[in-house]
Amino acid sequence: MAEISNIIGILGVFLVVLAYFLLQYEKLSAHGFAYPVLNLLGALMILFSLIYAWNLPSVIIETAWAVVSIFGIARKWRHRKSNSC
């Protein structure tokens, strides 16, 4: 299971870096859903891998990354919902 968790964690890192890369090259908007969703998925995948290779500082930063992404998604969802009414 440790090998699978490493693969999942590496894919999570790839998603976080890809999201940031696409943001920097203006292929994603910081105001859309894709950026925080990619960050959330990446953070959750990294957190999953940390279950098998515990590292407290990494757990803290990935949890913070996930929480910020959730707040961003919720904010965008509420904004979109209020604009559609």
Side-chain angles (χ1 to χ4, degrees):
M1 187 63 172
E3 186 175 321
I4 293 171
S5 70
N6 278 337
I7 292 168
I8 292 171
I10 290 167
L11 289 173
V13 169
F14 175 77
L15 287 179
V16 170
V17 172
L18 177 66
Y20 188 63
F21 176 83
L22 293 173
L23 180 70
Q24 292 304 307
Y25 282 88
E26 299 177 352
K27 302 297 180 186
L28 281 181
S29 169
H31 303 291
F33 277 102
Y35 182 66
V37 167
L38 285 173
N39 278 316
L40 176 60
L41 290 175
L44 292 175
M45 292 169 81
I46 294 167
L47 281 168
F48 175 79
S49 73
L50 289 168
I51 292 170
Y52 298 94
W54 183 257
N55 181 315
L56 182 59
S58 294
V59 169
I60 292 169
I61 191 66
E62 293 308 323
T63 300
W65 203 255
V67 168
V68 169
S69 296
I70 289 167
F71 277 113
I73 292 166
R75 183 173 171 249
K76 289 169 193 350
W77 184 74
R78 280 192 309 266
H79 180 72
R80 181 177 282 180
K81 189 175 176 182
S82 68
N83 283 345
S84 68
C85 294

